[in-house]
Amino acid sequence: MSEMIIQMQDMNKWYDDFHVLKNINLEVKKGEKIVICGPSGSGKSTLVRCINRLEEHQNGKIFVNGTELTNNLKNIDLIRAEVGMVFQHFNLFPHLTILENLTLAPVWVRHETKDQAEEVAMGYLEKVKIGDQALKYPGQLSGGQKQRVAIARALCMKPGVMLFDEPTSALDPEMVKEVLDVMVGLAEDGMTMLCVTHEMGFARQVADRVIFMDEGQIVEEADPETFFNNPQSERSKEFLGQILH
Amino acid sequence: MYKWTKNPESRSLPAGEAMAKWMKKNLFPTPAQSMLSIILFSLILKMLTPFLDWFVYDAVWLGSADDCRQASGACVAFIREKFTFILFGFYPREYLWRPIAAIGLFICMLWYSKEPSRWSKRLVRRWVVYVFLWILLMRGGMFGFELVPSNKWGGLPLTLMLSFVGIVFSYPFGILLALGRRSKMPVIKAFCVGYIELIRGVPLISLLFMSSVMFPLFLPEGVVIDKLLRAQAAIILFVAAYMAEVVRGGLAAIPKGQYEAGEALGLSFFQIMRLIILPQALKIVIPPTVNTAIGMFKDTSLVLIIALFDLLNTTKTALKDGNWLGFSVEGYLFVALIYFIFCFSMGKYSRRLEYELTTSRSH
């Protein structure tokens, strides 16, 4: 059974007169891992941010788990409950402890009890190997630790799909691996993932499909083997040439 | 192997030697700075001696107005004579224990509330009980307490009440205005911008005049709203506009990512504001918030123009006593000292609060 969890049909987005996303058609099956890459300004972050309405699309359709994303607030809430997100700059809440960061949404959105939420949170913190930091504040953690906390925070809402918006781009080089390891683990557990990233090793290792974007369009879509060894379009060849040296 | 060593500067020296070292380092490090230190010290000394002469050696601490006039120093006796009037105005002397108790309890409540760890719903309930006690003590008229109408209130209790109630109400009102000003809904935004700009554009005095002279004209026949209450409302409305701008500064300092993280987790707008944005924004603006609060504490003295007897007005009235004419320096210095104690405590507390909220939640 391969259920569609995300569908985009002829989706377009403009910032004022600037056409950022052009006729995007994309389908993601449950359990699929997709890596989105492309030069900066190609619209890949915007694409991902449209899925949970951090950005609004102007025409075309987006369905998440069968719910259409419209201005209907109820639908937006349903979709946000289904979609977890990890940001480039972590966006942890600096005034709350790590544990409070994780339990905030389960308690206020899912109406779980505090004990229940804390138990689940500790479980995920252990999973990202950071259980001993639960009572610290984000400011006391390293970048890699912060990003692992951010992943755990998103997981606490039990999402059906996880969006990663350049999760390792703001990290010092020696911390990239610890975050990627967590993401690989997540992939192995069967999580549906959409990752905007330039970590090509990660793409080779876990991606079912690589999507290459340029100037707001999906230029190429292929399995990683084909994409890296035998790219079809000129733009992707050029791009790969630049990042793989 | 690395050997653990002690910072040589942290060695403990005998007191005298340590003092000499400190002075060498901080007061006399170079010839030019030594000169500056000496000049400043002699200036301080030059100013201090006449003050001490005036306040201590030539002062009249006990005695009558005539004794004061013959002496060249300060007339502390005047303050002793007018002390009760300056602090409590025309409050009936036989019930003087009531405002004293109210202020004493007020200070205890403030002292108890100063620890952030005690901020809870229970504390709010205690303050509600306290407000009731304040009304009972100051106003009376129930439970066997003799009624003392608000036109008899004066001095310190009045000043404290106008400022404290002013801060407590203008702060949340200011937060709402600040949120409204950043709202995407045009009507709400226009209302908040209009309100803030209009109120900031007029002096407090004009608002006080309007509340005491014009506002009653619009009320239906027979409806009377207490003058003190009207002045209090004017102060709240005025300060809220300033608080709104202070809070807006804090809101602007919170990165967009904080909103987005909240949205991505499925929190509603009000949850994001209450749980994520405001706790951070309000903490950032503690210093300007307290600055506004200190400003308003002193601005309450403007109520004297609508004939309310706050601390400054009781002092001015005391100065007009025919038997004790000519001691305005003493009177004003005394009332300045009271204002200073309260304002200084507020500033000190603000710095402590800032420190505590950042060290326990280090960034």
Side-chain angles (χ1 to χ4, degrees):
Chain A
M1 186 186 100
S2 57
E3 214 183 307
M4 288 300 166
I5 190 156
I6 295 171
Q7 287 169 288
M8 291 183 170
Q9 297 166 354
D10 292 322
M11 194 263 279
N12 281 279
K13 175 169 178 61
W14 286 264
Y15 286 127
D16 294 324
D17 283 338
F18 179 57
H19 202 168
V20 226
L21 293 175
K22 300 168 187 162
N23 288 323
I24 302 289
N25 283 289
L26 177 66
E27 294 195 327
V28 182
K29 296 192 202 79
K30 209 159 219 170
E32 252 191 319
K33 290 105 186 90
I34 290 178
V35 164
I36 304 173
C37 59
S40 78
S42 60
K44 50 197 191 311
S45 285
T46 313
L47 172 74
V48 165
R49 289 158 57 88
C50 279
I51 297 172
N52 62 352
R53 244 315 142 99
L54 291 184
E55 306 279 355
E56 200 175 323
H57 62 286
Q58 274 85 28
N59 65 41
K61 285 183 173 161
I62 300 177
F63 294 92
V64 177
N65 225 4
T67 313
E68 189 179 354
L69 187 57
T70 58
N71 280 328
N72 184 333
L73 290 176
K74 225 171 106 193
N75 283 4
I76 295 179
D77 284 345
L78 270 173
I79 286 170
R80 283 183 177 159
E82 193 58 33
V83 178
M85 184 152 192
V86 175
F87 300 87
Q88 181 177 1
H89 295 288
F90 331 128
N91 297 349
L92 297 181
F93 307 130
H95 62 300
L96 301 177
T97 62
I98 301 307
L99 192 59
E100 287 165 344
N101 262 276
L102 267 67
T103 55
L104 188 74
V107 168
W108 287 90
V109 180
R110 292 216 189 272
H111 305 290
E112 289 174 22
T113 65
K114 198 166 166 250
D115 290 343
Q116 228 178 329
E118 281 183 359
E119 203 184 308
V120 174
M122 282 313 294
Y124 282 115
L125 282 180
E126 295 297 343
K127 199 169 163 182
V128 300
K129 301 188 184 66
I130 212 159
D132 51 336
Q133 316 277 0
L135 298 179
K136 289 193 178 169
Y137 287 91
Q140 294 164 294
L141 267 51
S142 73
Q145 290 174 320
K146 281 185 201 168
Q147 195 60 297
R148 285 186 279 150
V149 170
I151 294 172
R153 179 175 71 179
L155 291 175
C156 281
M157 290 297 282
K158 310 251 167 63
V161 52
M162 287 279 285
L163 310 176
F164 292 84
D165 185 3
E166 307 210 24
T168 55
S169 305
L171 295 176
D172 288 336
E174 76 269 22
M175 293 172 182
V176 170
K177 188 172 178 296
E178 62 186 63
V179 172
L180 288 179
D181 284 347
V182 168
M183 289 169 64
V184 170
L186 208 56
E188 282 165 358
D189 291 348
M191 175 62 78
T192 314
M193 294 162 72
L194 263 87
C195 312
V196 175
T197 181
H198 293 145
E199 296 295 336
M200 292 304 141
F202 172 79
R204 276 178 198 274
Q205 194 181 346
V206 306
D208 297 312
R209 262 189 293 162
V210 176
I211 288 174
F212 176 74
M213 288 185 72
D214 191 28
E215 292 177 346
Q217 285 173 308
I218 295 182
V219 177
E220 195 164 339
E221 201 176 332
D223 62 277
E225 224 36 57
T226 322
F227 179 72
F228 289 116
N229 299 335
N230 187 18
Q232 300 298 309
S233 73
E234 279 311 306
R235 283 298 289 126
S236 38
K237 281 177 198 164
E238 198 184 319
F239 176 74
L240 285 172
Q242 273 160 354
I243 63 165
L244 298 176
H245 308 295
Chain B
M1 193 187 143
Y2 174 76
K3 192 169 170 296
W4 188 83
T5 50
K6 204 172 173 187
N7 179 354
E9 302 228 331
S10 67
R11 270 178 309 141
S12 53
L13 296 169
E17 204 181 318
M19 175 88 167
K21 201 178 159 197
W22 183 88
M23 285 173 65
K24 174 90 181 73
K25 188 176 165 191
N26 293 290
L27 299 179
F28 308 104
T30 64
Q33 288 184 48
S34 306
M35 274 302 285
L36 203 62
S37 294
I38 291 167
I39 291 172
L40 285 175
F41 271 118
S42 40
L43 267 176
I44 291 172
L45 214 63
K46 206 168 159 54
M47 287 191 292
L48 207 59
T49 13
F51 178 77
L52 282 179
D53 282 344
W54 179 77
F55 187 64
V56 180
Y57 305 120
D58 302 333
V60 178
W61 285 67
L62 296 165
S64 67
D66 284 334
D67 297 333
C68 278
R69 286 197 190 95
Q70 271 143 36
S72 61
C75 183
V76 184
F78 167 74
I79 302 298
R80 293 168 59 98
E81 168 77 19
K82 295 294 180 189
F83 188 79
T84 315
F85 183 78
I86 290 175
L87 285 186
F88 300 105
F90 295 105
Y91 207 90
R93 288 295 172 272
E94 63 268 39
Y95 306 126
L96 212 54
W97 68 272
R98 281 163 49 179
I100 293 173
I103 289 181
L105 271 174
F106 178 71
I107 290 171
C108 293
M109 283 299 289
L110 284 183
W111 191 259
Y112 180 79
S113 313
K114 76 187 170 68
E115 304 294 336
S117 57
R118 296 204 182 112
W119 297 350
S120 62
K121 289 210 176 89
R122 211 174 66 184
L123 184 67
V124 176
R125 282 200 293 275
R126 285 188 180 163
W127 272 102
V128 172
V129 172
Y130 173 73
V131 167
F132 177 78
L133 269 176
W134 170 279
I135 296 171
L136 176 69
L137 284 167
M138 288 299 293
R139 188 163 187 280
M142 45 193 162
F143 302 116
F145 281 69
E146 204 64 40
L147 179 76
V148 180
S150 70
N151 59 13
K152 294 258 188 248
W153 302 6
L156 191 58
L158 191 75
T159 293
L160 287 180
M161 188 188 95
L162 285 172
S163 350
F164 183 74
V165 176
I167 290 163
V168 167
F169 282 90
S170 65
Y171 191 50
F173 186 29
I175 292 173
L176 288 180
L177 283 170
L179 291 179
R181 190 167 187 167
R182 288 168 64 88
S183 167
K184 290 196 184 82
M185 285 175 265
V187 179
I188 292 180
K189 184 176 173 147
F191 172 80
C192 293
V193 172
Y195 178 89
I196 292 168
E197 297 305 334
L198 187 72
I199 297 284
R200 284 203 306 173
V202 298
L204 176 56
I205 291 195
S206 64
L207 279 186
L208 288 171
F209 263 129
M210 274 173 62
S211 76
S212 87
V213 182
M214 280 174 62
F215 182 66
L217 299 178
F218 295 111
L219 288 176
E221 197 85 27
V223 176
V224 182
I225 297 178
D226 188 90
K227 181 161 80 171
L228 182 57
L229 208 60
R230 281 182 271 135
Q232 180 77 73
I235 289 175
I236 291 171
L237 294 178
F238 183 77
V239 180
Y242 285 84
M243 285 292 186
E245 287 300 281
V246 167
V247 172
R248 191 164 71 99
L251 291 174
I254 304 299
K256 208 168 151 236
Q258 294 287 306
Y259 293 87
E260 289 180 348
E263 284 176 16
L265 287 167
L267 294 162
S268 70
F269 172 79
F270 288 102
Q271 288 172 333
I272 292 174
M273 278 300 162
R274 189 186 139 195
L275 302 167
I276 301 170
I277 307 301
L278 283 175
Q280 296 183 61
L282 297 182
K283 191 174 84 187
I284 299 174
V285 294
I286 289 174
T289 306
V290 175
N291 196 30
T292 308
I294 289 176
M296 95 163 279
F297 181 76
K298 291 179 292 183
D299 278 353
T300 56
S301 57
L302 290 172
V303 297
L304 74 88
I305 62 137
I306 56 169
L308 288 176
F309 284 88
D310 79 307
L311 198 53
L312 187 64
N313 205 8
T314 52
T315 310
K316 286 178 87 104
T317 311
L319 292 172
K320 284 185 201 131
D321 182 343
N323 298 324
W324 292 86
L325 281 177
F327 302 114
S328 46
V329 175
E330 290 84 344
Y332 286 129
L333 266 183
F334 175 66
V335 73
L337 181 70
I338 298 177
Y339 276 109
F340 176 77
I341 290 171
F342 280 96
C343 294
F344 182 74
S345 317
M346 279 193 258
K348 187 112 178 119
Y349 176 62
S350 120
R351 286 193 295 280
R352 211 197 76 159
L353 197 60
E354 218 185 321
Y355 173 80
E356 245 173 53
L357 292 180
T358 42
T359 43
S360 70
R361 330 201 132 174
S362 80
H363 289 229

